[in-house]
Amino acid sequence: MANSPFDLENETGYRTWRDARLAAYPRSVDELIVPLADPRQLSPDEIAALGSRCNRANMAIYSAPPQNSADKSLAHQLARQLGLVRLEGNYLADEDGLSSITPAGDEGSVRGEFIPYTHKPINWHTDGYYNALDRRILGMTLHCAQDAESGGENALLDHEIAYIQLRDANPDYVAALMQPDAMTIPARMDEDNVARPEQSGPVFSIDPEAGFLYMRYTARTRSIVWKDDVITKAAVNTLADILAGSEYILTARLRPGMGLICNNVLHTRSAFSDSPGHRRLLYRGRYYDRLQFNLRPH
Ligand SMILES: [Fe+2]
């Protein structure tokens, strides 16, 4: 794409874009937070406020009154107003495609074998990193119905910032992670117990039509095979170092009524504790759409 800052030959365009991106990036998670009176019916000002955060960081955090925060339809209705329509798992369907992220009740259940449904921490990743390239998760939402008694924070980093920090370290590392065979996820069963074939793909790719940067990544070391060459290994190690200590990492603790909307940025979850009467519960949506803020509220 002509003049793309993601073109490794375009050093001038990259520098201009990079400097503006870093200057605009929020340095405190508080800058991401937008109060919403009613997520079911956004005002034009609220849409603009969410849009400005997402333009700066590919994400925003909303804070709505906690009443009815456990109502699943709220998260669904909010997403629709922001252009998130094609929900994974239930294409063009109703709110049932949202996943309830909560510790699985009984040990040994199928869900309990997958880390999202435990109290354990989750390392850096983008959602759907194991998806085929024609099923990229472009938008992701987390809505907090109930927070943990302690822990359960999310660290967040715009994947464009990770790209910048890696390119600044060495542009060859970015090139290595754009190889179509950079990262391979072996065939396996996913968290919904669906068999998935082996998936190879790049970590960083540029959408050929819209020109945005897409990132698929997991810091997991099991069930992932990196391309076995020196430059890819060095790139992966450098990216891991960036994620371990970037000054641009923002950490959020979602409380009931709060939520994250994002263009599938890098994120983690810390370990947490809760109890049977106070279970942490988040509704997660994964979409084949990116956020849009030019829609009229309805
Ligand atoms: Fe995730």
Side-chain angles (χ1 to χ4, degrees):
M1 184 165 286
N3 298 319
S4 167
F6 304 119
D7 179 352
L8 290 170
E9 305 292 314
N10 181 10
E11 182 63 15
T12 308
Y14 169 67
R15 283 280 140 198
T16 305
W17 169 82
R18 169 203 180 277
D19 293 350
R21 199 79 197 149
L22 293 180
Y25 194 75
R27 304 310 293 258
S28 155
V29 72
D30 294 339
E31 293 179 55
L32 285 180
I33 298 176
V34 177
L36 300 180
D38 179 4
R40 295 170 197 281
Q41 201 145 31
L42 298 174
S43 72
D45 285 352
E46 289 171 338
I47 291 177
L50 292 169
S52 80
R53 271 63 173 192
C54 290
N55 285 338
R56 291 165 62 193
N58 275 309
M59 58 183 142
I61 292 170
Y62 60 85
S63 176
Q67 301 95 296
N68 305 320
S69 63
D71 180 352
K72 216 174 178 183
S73 68
L74 182 150
H76 186 63
Q77 288 181 28
L78 172 62
R80 287 191 74 89
Q81 295 170 81
L82 303 176
L84 302 180
V85 177
R86 295 179 294 164
L87 189 53
E88 178 176 64
N90 207 355
Y91 194 74
L92 294 180
D94 214 332
E95 65 267 22
D96 301 326
L98 292 171
S99 298
S100 296
I101 307 296
T102 198
D106 50 296
E107 299 219 353
S109 71
V110 171
R111 289 198 134 196
E113 295 172 15
F114 292 94
I115 292 173
Y117 303 103
T118 68
H119 295 85
K120 295 176 186 167
I122 305 177
N123 210 335
W124 287 103
H125 66 283
T126 58
D127 272 28
Y129 60 84
Y130 39 73
N131 279 19
L133 296 179
D134 61 352
R135 298 171 77 82
R136 295 176 306 172
I137 301 302
L138 300 180
M140 193 274 281
T141 61
L142 284 174
H143 174 79
C144 181
Q146 180 65 61
D147 56 351
E149 287 172 341
S150 68
E153 297 90 359
N154 296 107
L156 305 162
L157 182 67
D158 182 353
H159 53 291
E160 293 185 22
I161 302 295
Y163 173 97
I164 287 170
Q165 294 197 284
L166 189 69
R167 184 162 167 176
D168 287 356
N170 188 340
D172 293 343
Y173 291 167
V174 172
L177 295 188
M178 294 183 82
Q179 298 171 105
D181 57 351
M183 175 179 164
T184 299
I185 313 297
R188 66 178 187 103
M189 305 296 271
D190 76 0
E191 66 195 43
D192 297 317
N193 210 26
V194 176
R196 292 181 182 273
E198 177 178 290
Q199 289 296 339
S200 285
V203 172
F204 292 114
S205 55
I206 313 305
D207 185 81
E209 284 160 24
F212 59 79
L213 179 73
Y214 179 68
M215 184 175 188
R216 61 193 283 278
Y217 177 72
T218 177
R220 291 182 63 156
T221 50
R222 289 171 52 202
S223 303
I224 174 161
V225 179
W226 292 101
K227 185 170 182 177
D228 189 16
D229 63 18
V230 171
I231 190 77
T232 304
K233 294 246 155 90
V236 170
N237 287 337
T238 302
L239 180 56
D241 289 345
I242 290 166
L243 295 173
S246 173
E247 66 188 282
Y248 298 96
I249 292 169
L250 303 170
T251 301
R253 189 171 193 287
L254 300 179
R255 297 191 170 278
M258 295 177 71
L260 169 74
I261 58 167
C262 70
N263 288 322
N264 200 5
V265 298
L266 289 156
H267 57 284
T268 71
R269 179 188 78 193
S270 69
F272 64 93
S273 59
D274 61 7
S275 59
H278 190 114
R279 279 274 173 251
R280 184 179 188 268
L281 170 61
L282 272 72
Y283 300 134
R284 182 195 63 205
R286 291 172 167 169
Y287 298 87
Y288 302 130
D289 302 304
R290 273 167 68 87
L291 290 158
Q292 286 181 51
F293 299 95
N294 52 359
L295 304 178
R296 292 167 58 84
H298 47 80

